[in-house]
Amino acid sequence: MPDRLLSPRGGRLLGVLGIVLIALNIRTAVAGLAPLAGLIDAEIPLDATAIGLLGVVPPVAFAVSGLLAPWVAHRIGLERALLFAVVTMIAGHLLRGAALDYPGLLASTLVVLMGAGFGNILLPPAVKRYAPGRIGAVTAAYATMMSISTALPPLIAVPIADAASWRLSLAVWGAVGVLALIPWVVLAARPPHPVVTEPVTVIEVDAPSTSADADVADPVDEPDTRQFGRLARSRVVWGITIPFAVSGVTAYSTFALMPLLLEDLAGVDAARAGALVGLFAIVGLPLSLATPVITARLRSPAPIMIVSVVAFSVGFLGLLLAPTLATPLWMIALGAGQVLFPMCLALIGLRSRTSHRAVTVSGFVQAIGYGVAAVAPLALGVLRSVTGSWMPAIVILLLAALSTLVAIPLLRSGEMIDDELERRRL
């Protein structure tokens, strides 16, 4: 194989294209199943428990991926790990469409979401590798594609099922995965070039890339098996992990519980409740586009976190004190609070000096964040059943949102994770 299959510029462009196309696939498996539950139930019985278990799979798969993806990437390379993620997503989509019973549906859902989880973990370091001088802009692009991949499946899943079948409606997303396959097949075939990535500062990170970024590959040293333990002692890492976990808890609790909450407290019917949750999701689209770019321009993300806390407080206090007064406004406010998610995705790259470091940071942050998010909806649902009221659950979500303030002093200095770890080692 020739030493250079692509020019440095061609490799960067192909890498960015691959990042964006993977992002378009990450949430289709999550968003494409729920609208089809009634149709699937005619062939594969789905009671409330079965649907609830399917709803727990995404954050659990993403949390497990946070532990496994860095290990895989360090051993087979970032590009091959992303290729594995795409192949796994495609296979999972096809297996879901062919599922004959509930265990098959559950297992295939786990497969596709493990692939999506690997993509979730490895996209921030891929941005660090292929766009080190454009972290804000490229993160904005892929976060926006993730928002689109959340909003699109519910719109077309039922029409496709009505025109053909629910099986085709589930399997068709595998075809979208094929688009993402092409760039990573090419990039995985390139031999690695051990050129150290130039350090990227937090301020003005969107400045044009230099020639030192040509291959933007990291050293191929064997990774330190104690890296997760070291990261757990980093205040900067916890400064990213805390808001990421808050975002995950809020998002998964909203999607799982908010329809029932709105029916009980706001007195709306199921269709109206679903539309209000959709409003929450739509707000994330412009935020995904703007937030990473803004984050890259700031020395400290404190202003973004303060905006998020204010928005969450307005939303949760509105639901707590006046749920029927301006329900759409409360949902818009909660959606605006989700500005934390694209901010954290950008910070993973901005506060890491190499994509090698960003892999482990992304794994740590997302394993913990999604682990907490997996438990939250179930715990809050049990709390509702025990107390007979949604008020305790809303108060807990409000307190969780306020905990974002703890992360502000952890990130205020603008320090890089690598520098902090090196300083602590001395």
Side-chain angles (χ1 to χ4, degrees), residues 6-389:
L6 297 168
S7 68
R9 178 177 174 81
R12 289 198 302 273
L13 292 175
L14 193 62
V16 171
L17 176 63
I19 288 166
V20 171
L21 290 176
I22 285 184
L24 184 59
N25 284 270
I26 282 181
R27 293 183 179 172
T28 54
V30 178
L33 180 63
L36 301 173
L39 296 173
I40 297 173
D41 184 59
E43 295 185 40
I44 300 175
L46 296 177
D47 58 18
T49 301
I51 294 174
L53 185 56
L54 287 170
V56 172
V57 170
V60 170
F62 293 164
V64 173
S65 297
L67 300 175
L68 296 180
W71 182 84
V72 172
H74 283 312
R75 279 153 181 77
I76 68 173
L78 180 60
E79 290 77 12
R80 291 183 180 90
L82 282 164
L83 177 60
F84 169 79
V86 177
V87 170
T88 303
M89 283 190 283
I90 294 172
H93 283 302
L94 297 178
L95 289 171
R96 280 216 298 188
L100 300 177
D101 51 23
Y102 181 75
L105 184 64
L106 182 64
S108 57
T109 296
L110 180 60
V111 169
V112 68
L113 288 170
M114 284 298 296
F118 267 57
N120 244 340
I121 304 303
L122 299 177
L123 283 185
V127 174
K128 184 70 177 179
R129 171 165 292 183
Y130 287 97
R134 292 286 187 273
I135 291 177
V138 176
T139 301
Y142 96 69
T144 301
M145 296 304 283
M146 288 175 68
S147 295
I148 292 173
S149 75
T150 303
L152 185 60
L155 296 177
I156 65 175
V158 174
I160 292 176
D162 289 340
S165 71
W166 64 263
R167 296 183 181 279
L168 179 62
S169 186
L170 288 178
V172 72
W173 299 107
V176 181
V178 172
L179 295 177
L181 191 65
I182 299 170
W184 294 108
V185 167
V186 176
L187 292 169
R190 295 182 65 205
H193 299 283
V195 179
V196 179
T197 303
E198 285 290 301
V200 180
T201 58
V202 176
I203 302 174
E204 297 182 354
V205 70
D206 286 345
S209 301
T210 65
S211 59
D213 299 323
D215 286 321
V216 291
D218 293 321
V220 291
D221 316 304
E222 185 68 21
D224 184 354
T225 57
R226 296 170 296 177
Q227 283 195 58
F228 267 42
R230 294 181 62 210
L231 292 178
R233 297 190 292 273
S234 165
R235 61 179 182 80
V236 180
V237 170
W238 282 109
I240 301 172
T241 303
I242 291 170
F244 188 91
V246 170
S247 173
V249 166
T250 306
Y252 282 96
S253 297
T254 298
F255 286 122
L257 302 175
M258 193 61 68
L260 295 176
L261 186 151
L262 291 173
E263 290 179 43
D264 290 346
L265 296 185
V268 299
D269 59 23
R272 174 72 169 164
L276 288 168
V277 173
L279 183 62
F280 164 87
I282 289 172
V283 172
L285 190 58
L287 294 178
S288 297
L289 190 59
T291 302
V293 178
I294 296 172
T295 303
R297 300 292 183 183
L298 298 173
R299 179 177 180 81
S300 166
I304 298 174
M305 288 190 279
I306 291 171
V307 167
S308 173
V309 170
V310 171
F312 277 140
S313 298
V314 169
F316 287 127
L317 287 174
L319 290 174
L320 192 66
L321 303 175
T324 62
L325 181 62
T327 312
L329 178 60
W330 310 147
M331 297 307 298
I332 290 172
L334 293 179
Q338 287 295 110
V339 70
L340 294 175
F341 178 72
M343 178 199 78
C344 291
L345 292 180
L347 285 173
I348 290 170
L350 291 169
R351 295 298 181 94
S352 302
R353 289 205 177 276
T354 66
S355 59
H356 178 92
R357 173 67 65 197
V359 166
T360 53
V361 172
S362 183
F364 182 94
V365 169
Q366 297 198 50
I368 293 178
Y370 283 120
V372 175
V375 174
L378 179 61
L380 294 175
V382 170
L383 183 62
R384 164 66 176 84
S385 299
V386 170
T387 63
S389 171

